[in-house]
Structures are given as structure tokens and as C-alpha cells.
Amino acid sequence: PGLSFSLELDTTGQLPARHSSIHVVLECRCSREQLLGDMLCFLHHQHDDKLPRDHSSYLLRALCTRSRLDVEKIACWVQHLVRSAWLLLPQSHHCQLVVLPSSRSCRFQLTSTSKMNIFTEMIFAVQQ
């Protein structure tokens, strides 16, 4: 809630087939804030100390460049989340997780104690 996403149109007004930019907009949620009081309007309280640091406006700054989703920032963010979450799993005692270099996806290598390697890659996509 409070964010909208849209694929940017090309100069002819058509949706590009690949590598299009995804425009992110903070939406006004003041009416919900006034009626229900269950959330602050991210648009009008962006610099408010009442918003927790991990709220949508923080994610917007962390994952976007000039109001567009930035795949390199997203990849870095997801790599950090996976690395942090891995340490909490019981399997982390039996396998080593290595984040492999990649700026547009997330690539990982798992190595078991028996030296078996598993490679995996997460590629980001948006369904129209």
C-alpha cells in the first residue's frame, strides 16, 4: 500500500518488449490515514520521525534511482537478505553459501561438507 508501479512507454506510446524501466510512485494515503489511522501517508510523511526506518519510503530510496526500480540495487539488496537469512538456517552448518559476482541477478554457490557444489541464479522479472 502506498506505492504504484508502471512500465514506462516508449516514444510511440507502446510498451517496450525488454529492458523497460519501471516507474515507482508514492501514492497519497492521507484519506486512509485519517479514516483508519492504521498507516501514515508515505508521500506526506517521508521525512517524519514517526515512520520506521524500514518502511516503504526507505525501500524506495534503497531500491530505486530517480523514481525507477534499479536492478543493480535490487540485486545487492536481495544478495544481502539471502546472506543474512542463510546464517539463520540449520543447513548453514552443513553447507557454505557464497554469493557470486553479479550486478543484474543473484548468483549463489552452495558447497556441502562432501564438496558437492550447487549453483543457482535468481533473475528478476516483472509480469505485465
Side-chain angles (χ1 to χ4, degrees):
L3 296 171
S4 66
F5 302 87
S6 60
L7 286 171
E8 292 195 333
L9 303 176
D10 66 11
T11 54
T12 65
Q14 302 296 314
L15 287 176
R18 295 179 53 86
H19 305 296
S20 55
S21 294
I22 300 170
H23 188 69
V24 182
V25 176
L26 283 171
E27 297 176 333
C28 179
R29 305 292 287 184
C30 288
S31 59
R32 180 177 173 141
E33 178 183 348
Q34 291 169 359
L35 286 174
L36 301 176
D38 63 342
M39 68 183 309
L40 291 174
C41 174
F42 301 140
L43 182 63
H44 296 109
H45 292 283
Q46 288 183 62
H47 305 292
D48 195 326
D49 290 337
K50 292 183 235 173
L51 278 177
R53 186 169 150 70
D54 63 345
H55 237 287
S56 291
S57 60
Y58 169 74
L59 281 177
L60 190 63
R61 287 190 303 275
L63 302 179
C64 294
T65 298
R66 293 188 297 285
S67 77
R68 284 164 184 72
L69 284 178
D70 184 322
V71 72
E72 291 182 15
K73 286 183 176 183
I74 292 169
C76 183
W77 184 69
V78 171
Q79 289 168 358
H80 175 74
L81 285 178
V82 169
R83 197 180 297 124
S84 299
W86 178 254
L87 298 174
L88 302 174
L89 295 175
Q91 293 85 343
S92 67
H93 301 292
H94 308 291
C95 292
Q96 178 187 11
L97 174 77
V98 175
V99 177
L100 301 171
S102 178
S103 63
R104 300 190 63 80
S105 65
C106 292
R107 296 174 54 225
F108 305 100
Q109 176 184 346
L110 284 174
T111 305
S112 69
T113 51
S114 62
K115 302 299 181 203
M116 182 176 83
N117 288 317
I118 299 172
F119 294 91
T120 186
E121 182 174 23
M122 295 170 55
I123 298 173
F124 305 107
V126 175
Q127 182 177 358
Q128 295 184 23

